[in-house]
């Protein structure tokens, strides 16, 4: 039971009657007020994590910036927290630029990614004066030059590094669709350096996601350094989060010791370093509450599933779960969702204490990429996001309505 609590956001506890509390709010009270399923974010924990990243990076490399990878939790309110905590924002796509601006970001602190940026997205980035555009391919350069604007760019380089994570979230291997092999990057860098409009500021590298050891991060630095000396090196994100009892991701200091250690060895001392954490910033600072709808054989079926959490189907991510009022222990069940797919499993094999229809089930570590990939499968109304902290809770994203489902019909 103690173990299970450690998977929930740092401010989580058990009330006197055993009910889980998140950000000082009882899970049953949250479910009553906001309905289920509901994604609850511990706001103070989120802010503390953002500050930890910033402090630890600056302590190791003063000329540095943390930019939050918005894709991990692209809600305006989450982006706003990052802005308020002094972070920049990494955006991948026009929509994330729009919400980042709404969140109050100084556009100069936006880093714009994408392996297939459209004309419209480049126009949006240019119009708003996005700080850095990360060039992924030669067509990005064509489009940026055609825009007629003066733009600061980084070039994304494939470091040829793999990591022990799911193939679907690897990005730094030679076969990656993202970025340029060093041999292709070199002539494109030379072209940018000749461009009258574009300013070649530096290089970008990103190994992948949910990486639970530090070596791949350190290994990604030398291949980038081999391309020459620049003002800026964006060393990506990718640090893994703790989803299960068995996961022991490196701490932020451990990760940065390795990464910045490699930077000291290979990069110019006066360069600026950027990092782009996503998953490790948000995953562990949220949990999803569901209501049990039905029980059958080994199955406990809840009122959500792959409409609010695609991580399981997408890359076999293992989660844990508990009855919110009876944490820990019990028989082994398969926790499934309500969608018309056999792959709609939230947790395959999890101990639940005497589940009954109407019980609240809590799944920890749902802060990363769950809101991101929420969808309308089976007419699902995407679930709300609630910030909880110091015993107070407020919705920052409302639940979709039936009218929302009809809103795009013409
Ligand atoms: C370019 C880039 N930066 C940062 C991230 C964030 O990665 P993570 O959420 O694993 O920290 C990603 C996601 O894969 C990415 O593609």
């Amino acid at each position: 039971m103690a173990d299970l609590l450690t998977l929930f956001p740092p401010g989580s506890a058990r009330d006197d009657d055993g009910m889980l509390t998140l950000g000082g709010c009882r899970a049953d009270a949250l479910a009553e007020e906001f309905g289920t399923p509901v994604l609850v974010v511990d706001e103070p924990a989120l802010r503390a994590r953002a500050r930890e990243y910033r402090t630890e990076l600056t302590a190791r490399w003063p000329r540095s910036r943390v930019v939050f990878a918005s894709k991990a939790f692209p809600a305006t309110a989450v982006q706003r927290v990052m802005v308020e905590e002094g972070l920049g924002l990494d955006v991948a796509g026009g929509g994330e630029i729009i919400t980042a601006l709404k969140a109050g970001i100084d556009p100069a602190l936006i880093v714009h990614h994408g392996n297939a940026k459209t004309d419209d997205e480049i126009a949006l980035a240019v119009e708003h004066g996005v700080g850095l555009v990360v060039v992924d391919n030669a067509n990005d350069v064509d489009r940026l030059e055609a825009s007629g604007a003066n733009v600061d760019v980084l070039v994304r380089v494939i470091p040829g590094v793999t990591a022990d994570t799911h193939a679907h979230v690897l990005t730094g291997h030679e076969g990656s669709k993202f970025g340029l092999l060093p041999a292709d990057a070199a002539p494109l860098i030379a072209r940018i350096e000749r461009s009258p409009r574009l300013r070649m500021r530096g290089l970008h590298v990103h190994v992948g996601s949910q990486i639970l050891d530090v070596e791949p991060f350190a290994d990604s630095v030398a291949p980038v350094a081999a391309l020459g000396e620049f003002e800026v090196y964006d060393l990506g994100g990718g640090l893994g989060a703790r989803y299960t009892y068995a996961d022991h991701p490196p701490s932020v200091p451990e990760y940065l010791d390795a990464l910045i250690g490699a930077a000291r060895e290979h990069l110019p001392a006066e360069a600026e370093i950027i990092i782009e954490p996503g998953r490790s910033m948000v995953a562990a600072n949220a949990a999803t509450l569901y209501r049990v709808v039905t029980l059958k054989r080994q199955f406990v079926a809840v009122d959500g599933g792959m409409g609010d959490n695609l991580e399981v189907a997408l890359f076999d991510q293992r989660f844990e779960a508990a009855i919110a009022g009876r944490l820990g222990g019990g028989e082994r069940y398969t926790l499934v969702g309500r969608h018309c797919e056999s792959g709609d499993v939230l947790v395959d094999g999890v101990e639940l204490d005497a589940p009954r229809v109407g019980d609240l089930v809590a799944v920890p570590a749902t802060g990363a990429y769950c809101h991101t990939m929420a969808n309308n499968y089976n007419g699902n109304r995407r679930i709300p996001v609630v910030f909880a902290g110091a015993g107070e809770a407020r919705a920052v994203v409302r639940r979709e309505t039936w009218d929302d489902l009809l809103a795009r019909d013409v």
Side-chain angles (χ1 to χ4, degrees):
M1 187 196 306
D3 259 3
L4 184 59
L5 257 189
T6 67
L7 293 176
F8 283 96
S12 306
R14 279 175 11 120
D15 219 348
D16 292 344
D17 62 352
M19 179 58 63
L20 173 70
T21 66
L22 299 166
C25 302
R26 286 174 60 93
D28 54 357
L30 290 166
E32 179 71 26
E33 183 172 356
F34 301 103
T36 57
V38 57
L39 179 53
V40 183
V41 176
D42 182 330
E43 185 185 358
L46 186 63
R47 288 184 184 276
R49 187 67 161 172
R51 283 196 288 270
E52 179 189 21
Y53 256 113
R54 205 158 54 84
T55 311
E56 297 291 341
L57 180 61
T58 315
R60 286 165 180 77
W61 194 284
R63 233 172 104 60
S64 62
R65 282 195 281 147
V66 180
V67 302
F68 169 60
S70 302
K71 72 199 79 174
F73 203 145
T76 314
V78 171
Q79 290 177 312
R80 187 174 295 120
V81 163
M82 300 301 158
V83 171
E84 287 170 357
E85 295 300 338
L87 275 57
L89 293 173
D90 142 354
V91 299
E96 290 179 2
I97 297 179
I98 300 291
T99 55
L101 294 171
K102 183 86 194 248
I105 187 92
D106 170 356
L109 299 179
I110 294 180
V111 179
H112 182 201
H113 285 286
N115 72 305
K117 301 178 197 75
T118 62
D119 292 340
D120 286 353
E121 283 168 341
I122 296 274
L124 199 62
V126 163
E127 180 196 337
H128 291 286
V130 157
L132 288 168
V133 175
V134 182
V135 165
D136 178 275
N137 51 65
N139 301 109
D140 275 352
V141 178
D142 298 340
R143 289 190 169 95
L144 285 165
E145 284 188 324
S147 78
N150 296 318
V151 185
D152 284 11
V153 302
L154 305 181
V155 169
R156 181 166 181 164
V157 178
I158 296 177
V161 169
T162 59
D164 186 12
T165 188
H166 196 283
H168 293 174
V169 291
L170 264 184
T171 58
H173 56 298
E174 279 182 7
S176 176
K177 75 165 182 172
F178 300 100
L180 295 150
L181 292 165
D184 299 327
L188 197 63
I189 291 168
R191 178 180 161 196
I192 295 167
E193 284 171 337
R194 289 193 304 272
S195 166
R197 296 248 176 238
L198 306 185
R199 196 148 74 100
M200 179 62 212
R201 297 290 311 284
L203 303 177
H204 171 273
V205 67
H206 176 68
V207 178
S209 198
Q210 188 53 10
I211 295 171
L212 294 169
D213 43 24
V214 297
E215 286 76 19
F217 300 114
D219 292 347
S220 70
V221 178
V224 169
L227 280 162
E229 296 206 351
F230 297 92
E231 293 166 75
V232 182
Y233 294 87
D234 182 336
L235 302 178
L239 178 62
R242 185 158 183 254
Y243 289 90
T244 73
Y245 307 118
D247 292 338
H248 296 291
S251 64
V252 168
E254 286 166 344
Y255 157 69
L256 291 176
D257 279 348
L259 186 71
I260 301 303
R264 285 205 193 95
E265 200 178 323
H266 299 289
L267 300 181
E270 63 286 0
E272 180 183 21
I273 287 185
I274 298 174
I275 59 167
E276 302 171 332
R279 186 183 299 277
S280 60
M281 185 76 83
V282 287
N285 293 321
T288 306
L289 301 175
Y290 301 95
R291 194 73 77 179
V292 174
V293 178
T294 180
L295 296 112
K296 182 170 57 186
R297 303 193 304 278
Q298 75 272 32
F299 298 111
V300 175
V302 294
D303 54 359
M306 65 194 300
D308 58 79
N309 184 346
L310 264 185
E311 291 283 274
V312 187
L314 193 68
F315 77 110
D316 295 328
Q317 180 56 56
R318 160 97 197 163
F319 286 81
E320 302 291 349
I323 305 295
R326 300 186 297 282
L327 262 61
E331 301 290 311
R332 232 171 152 68
Y333 293 91
T334 306
L335 185 68
V336 298
R338 55 178 301 280
H339 297 279
C340 298
E341 297 279 331
S342 292
D344 179 27
V345 173
L346 282 167
V347 194
D348 186 4
V350 60
E351 285 182 2
L352 297 174
D353 184 7
R356 295 185 289 263
V357 170
D359 272 343
L360 273 183
V361 171
V363 175
T366 54
Y369 297 99
C370 290
H371 174 76
T372 313
M373 290 186 248
N375 59 78
N376 298 119
Y377 188 21
N378 299 136
N380 179 50
R381 289 170 297 168
R382 285 177 293 179
I383 72 173
V385 179
V386 167
F387 276 9
E392 304 282 331
R394 69 185 204 283
V396 296
V397 179
R398 65 164 172 79
R399 188 181 308 282
E400 277 186 321
T401 62
W402 301 129
D403 283 344
D404 288 329
L405 295 184
L406 298 171
R408 295 193 307 141
D409 290 353
V410 289

